[in-house]
Amino acid sequence: MAVGPANRFQEFRAELRRSEVKWAYTLILPAVLPLLIFTVLPVLGAIGLSFTHFDAFSATMSWIGTGNYREAFDNELFRITIRNTLQFTVGFVPLSLAVGFSAAMLLNRRIRGISFLRGAYYLPVLTSTIAMGIAWMWLFQPQVGLVSLALKLFGVTPKDWLNSPFTAMPAVIGVAVWKAFGGTMLIYLAGLQGIPETYYDAAKVDGAGRWQLLRFITWPLLRPVTFYLFIIGMIDSLQVFDLVMIMTEGGPAFRTTTIVHQIYLNAFKFNQMGYASAMAVVLFVAIAVLTFFNWKFFSSSLEY
Amino acid sequence: MAQTSRLRLPPREELLYRVLLILGIILGLVIAALPFLWMAVSSLGTAGMVIRIGFTWDMFNPLNWSLEPYVVAWKMASISKYIRTTTIYAVAVTVLATTTSSLAGYVFGRLRFPARDFLFGLVLATMMIPGSVTFLPLFILMLRLPLLGGNDIFGAGGHGLYNSYAGLILPNVVSASSIFLFRQFFRTLPKDLEDAARIDGCSEPMIWLRVIMPLSGPVVTVVALFQFQGSWNAFVWPLVMSSSERLYTISVGMYSLAYGSGSLTSMAELFQSVLLAGSVMAVLPILFLFIAFQRQFVQGIALTGLK
């Protein structure tokens, strides 16, 4: 059979298809393979390790079933750790949302220098947590730190904020809010810019004041943004680590130790890799549940 | 909101509102910026002046400033080493992750092949797995990689990629959220361009390099900036992956200085200023980058919803 032009065209198309598929697999390999090896495999590894007693340096491993989980939930320190992490979450999430929302309301206007102001509010987010933790330790210095000096003006007696059981966690939360609110602000700003101006015009025709606009238009319309930030804030709170490491090392007397801090200590200071893995799995489950809620919410109700 | 300020209030209340607004903005600015200024000024104190006296207006007089803490930090406290390591690490991660992620974003966004949706779902799923869950098993994996760093085929005997640049960099050669960002952007480009290139006999990597990437300057910039910023500040992974000062990133180095495993504790007078000088040096590159690319950073946040 003679090869007609139509046939040649089909051959050409089939050739293109084959080449497309071949290249597709080749080009995603350098992305998908590392994700499998360095993200998926470690999760499976953590689950597996959590049922063992494992020493990474001598590479000795013994199967102990759910022993690590039972140990964790019987352990006083683990309960303290969970309590601390929840305390951090309860303090950090509403505060970072409130401060971020307030900042967004303040800076959602067209005035000169607005991008400088937004930049200044946002800068703490981008900087090294360790470096800024060191700066804040200096600000919290008991005698000559700026926090002590400022509070003295209000008649508060200076104390060793980061080493006192009742002030260490609030101090860590405060710095975490300082470091995060710029990000919350930017996401709220993006949300604010998505609200049609006609809504406000209509309300103003009906005689609504500033407070009513905020209460009945802005806040309800930003609810999806708030929900998203709420979940993301919780996920971040469950993983707080850098700030605790640099500012308090979990102290005083375990008052600020958190889940990830305990994972780190058990794995790398006490060589309890199995026990640490069990905690990592608990953390993973908590994050997975939160992510699921987030996804569920946004796949069902994205529309205003 | 420009529209709310057009509200008509009685002049007195309008004035009060304006004043409160300006006070609020200034308060926010002070809260955000003060730690940086305080850190910078304290880091310039001569020989322990700051530690002894605390706050004085003299601190703000440039005549009293000294770069001594910076010299000590750079030379004796190994900050120069940390900055070097951090630069190598951050540049390598940025280049590699931006390349692999944009290639994958191109494939997922523009090509048709079997199992595409499954594989892309897998990529999305990995986005929800945070480093704080994986760093421990990942450490064991790197320590026990077969046939590397003195390990035998079962991964025993040596130390794998532990305490090496390869070990630091490898797990970060790709970023799932960047793949997602690239894919979303590439999908908006017109299909005609690459079809034309394909008819002309261009292979897929050539189309990616010659057609797609030149049109994607803004998104490449956003991804590269966040990759660089993230790896410049990285702490947990470099902390567990390095055992020698040679491989300390700036955050790990500053942590080790603060908790006295460096050579600095003997200089108590200068200690605080040197620590703060090191912190300033850790923050400065990011500050410059932010000043140069503020628009891209802000757009990136709005685009991804990442914080």
Side-chain angles (χ1 to χ4, degrees), chain A residues 156-225:
Chain A
V156 181
T157 336
K159 55 155 93 185
D160 196 350
W161 310 103
L162 297 175
N163 281 314
S164 311
F166 292 107
T167 54
M169 184 56 96
V172 171
I173 292 173
V175 176
V177 170
W178 174 80
K179 200 145 177 335
F181 83 91
T184 319
M185 173 194 75
L186 282 187
I187 294 175
Y188 267 128
L189 275 173
L192 283 171
Q193 274 142 26
I195 300 178
E197 234 166 273
T198 48
Y199 289 17
Y200 292 105
D201 293 339
K204 274 183 269 182
V205 168
D206 293 344
R210 275 201 184 84
W211 170 250
Q212 283 157 321
L213 294 184
L214 175 67
R215 168 81 179 71
F216 294 111
I217 296 182
T218 311
W219 183 248
L221 285 180
L222 286 178
R223 210 169 280 151
V225 180

Side-chain angles (χ1 to χ4, degrees), chain A residues 12 16-17 19-21 23-25 27-28 30-32 34-43 45-46 49 54 56-57 59 105-111 115-128 130-132 134-139 144 146 149 178 180-181 183-184 186-187 190 197 200-201 204 208-210 213 218 228-229 232-233 236 239 241-242 245-249 260 263-264 267-268 273 276-277 280 283-284 287-288 291, chain B residues 1-7 9 14 17 21 24-29 31-36 38-39 42 50-55 100-101 103-104 106-108 110-115 119 122-123 126 128-144 170-171 173-176 179 198-199 203-205 226 229 233 235-236 239-240 251 254-255 258-259 272 275-276 279 282-283 286-287 290 294 297-298 301-302 304-307:
Chain A
F12 178 64
L16 269 184
R17 269 305 283 146
S19 139
E20 184 177 340
V21 170
W23 276 117
Y25 288 123
L27 297 182
I28 53 168
V32 171
L35 282 178
L36 286 175
I37 298 175
F38 301 122
T39 305
V40 177
L41 188 62
V43 172
L49 283 171
F54 180 61
F57 293 93
M105 290 305 290
L106 281 175
L107 296 190
N108 186 36
R109 56 197 75 245
R110 280 171 231 120
I111 53 173
S115 68
F116 165 77
L117 285 170
R118 285 177 188 168
Y121 281 38
Y122 177 60
L123 186 62
V125 178
L126 293 177
T127 51
S128 154
I130 298 299
M132 293 324 290
I134 288 172
W136 273 99
M137 283 162 83
W138 177 231
L139 286 157
V144 300
L146 217 50
L149 295 177
W178 174 80
F181 83 91
T184 319
L186 282 187
I187 294 175
E197 234 166 273
Y200 292 105
D201 293 339
K204 274 183 269 182
R210 275 201 184 84
L213 294 184
T218 311
Y228 170 80
L229 289 170
I232 296 290
D236 288 348
Q239 300 176 63
F241 174 68
D242 301 18
M245 276 288 273
I246 190 69
M247 286 182 67
T248 62
E249 291 214 290
V260 180
I263 294 174
Y264 170 76
F268 296 97
M273 298 274 178
S277 297
L283 175 65
F284 175 65
I287 291 171
T291 310
Chain B
M1 258 163 289
Q3 65 272 19
T4 49
S5 58
R6 257 183 270 117
L7 270 178
L9 286 177
E14 182 65 35
Y17 174 79
L21 198 70
I25 291 176
I26 292 172
L27 178 70
L29 188 62
I31 291 171
L34 200 62
F36 292 106
W38 185 242
M39 169 171 83
S42 303
V50 184
I51 235 350
R52 282 198 309 270
I53 340 175
F55 181 86
T100 58
S101 306
L103 272 172
Y106 167 66
V107 172
F108 283 124
R110 312 218 46 119
L111 302 187
R112 288 176 305 132
F113 56 98
L119 287 170
L122 190 78
V123 170
T126 61
M128 68 157 230
I129 303 172
S132 51
V133 168
T134 54
F135 76 90
L136 163 58
L138 197 52
F139 163 81
I140 298 169
L141 178 72
M142 297 313 254
L143 190 68
R144 295 279 154 247
L170 261 181
V173 294
V174 64
S175 137
I179 295 179
R198 218 163 267 148
I199 303 286
S203 63
E204 300 299 338
F226 278 100
Q229 180 263 341
N233 294 337
F235 179 61
V236 185
L239 177 72
V240 301
S251 286
M254 291 307 300
Y255 171 75
Y259 286 95
Q272 194 61 47
L275 265 189
L276 292 165
S279 297
V283 168
I286 297 295
L287 179 68
F290 183 58
Q294 186 183 335
F297 271 114
V298 170
I301 297 291
T304 56
L306 298 172
K307 282 195 281 178

Side-chain angles (χ1 to χ4, degrees), chain B residues 46-84:
Chain B
T46 46
M49 178 180 96
V50 184
I51 235 350
R52 282 198 309 270
I53 340 175
F55 181 86
T56 60
W57 289 109
D58 281 351
M59 286 173 65
F60 296 92
N61 180 354
L63 292 177
N64 293 330
W65 289 351
S66 147
L67 286 176
E68 199 189 347
Y70 285 83
V71 176
V72 174
W74 189 257
K75 289 194 174 146
M76 295 166 77
S78 312
I79 299 288
S80 54
K81 262 189 250 169
Y82 306 151
I83 295 274
R84 189 171 155 270

Side-chain angles (χ1 to χ4, degrees), chain A residues 247-269:
Chain A
M247 286 182 67
T248 62
E249 291 214 290
F254 303 113
R255 272 305 284 118
T256 57
T257 191
T258 60
I259 298 179
V260 180
H261 187 237
Q262 284 299 313
I263 294 174
Y264 170 76
L265 287 183
N266 277 288
F268 296 97
K269 299 292 166 199

Side-chain angles (χ1 to χ4, degrees), chain B residues 151-165:
Chain B
N151 279 348
D152 60 24
I153 192 144
F154 302 109
H159 47 75
L161 293 179
Y162 176 59
N163 204 31
S164 71
Y165 273 110

